[in-house]
Amino acid sequence: MAVGEISGAPTFRVVSRFGEAYVVVFDATVHGHTWQLAGVYGLDEAGKIADMRLYSRPWPVTAFFRGEAYKLMRDQFGPEYWQG
């Protein structure tokens, strides 16, 4: 819910399957700037997500997103989550 509140509905560009993994490429908007993301999802035998990796660019917009996410969720995760 926090992601949707910060960046709105995504615009999907590509959804593709590579073996047992799915790649999803989409755009979102943070503070009026386009935020591009790619997700790589690995599935288990039951078809449920077993592994998920997200990549985003450009870094300044990712930083905007992270700052907004911190404001909304800082009390739900420990301080070690927000380091890095």
Side-chain angles (χ1 to χ4, degrees), residues 7 25-38 54-67:
S7 63
V25 179
F26 56 99
D27 295 344
T29 304
V30 179
H31 292 298
H33 302 283
T34 299
W35 186 34
Q36 298 176 319
L37 300 105
L54 294 174
Y55 304 90
S56 66
R57 68 178 197 171
W59 175 245
V61 182
T62 300
F64 284 149
F65 173 82
R66 187 171 171 81

Side-chain angles (χ1 to χ4, degrees), residues 2-20:
V3 172
E5 186 175 330
I6 297 165
S7 63
T11 301
F12 292 95
R13 301 289 178 203
V14 176
V15 177
S16 195
R17 182 175 181 179
F18 292 95
E20 297 302 313

Side-chain angles (χ1 to χ4, degrees), residues 35-57:
W35 186 34
Q36 298 176 319
L37 300 105
V40 180
Y41 303 89
L43 306 180
D44 64 15
E45 294 81 25
K48 295 184 179 182
I49 295 174
D51 183 60
M52 176 176 64
R53 297 169 191 237
L54 294 174
Y55 304 90
S56 66
R57 68 178 197 171

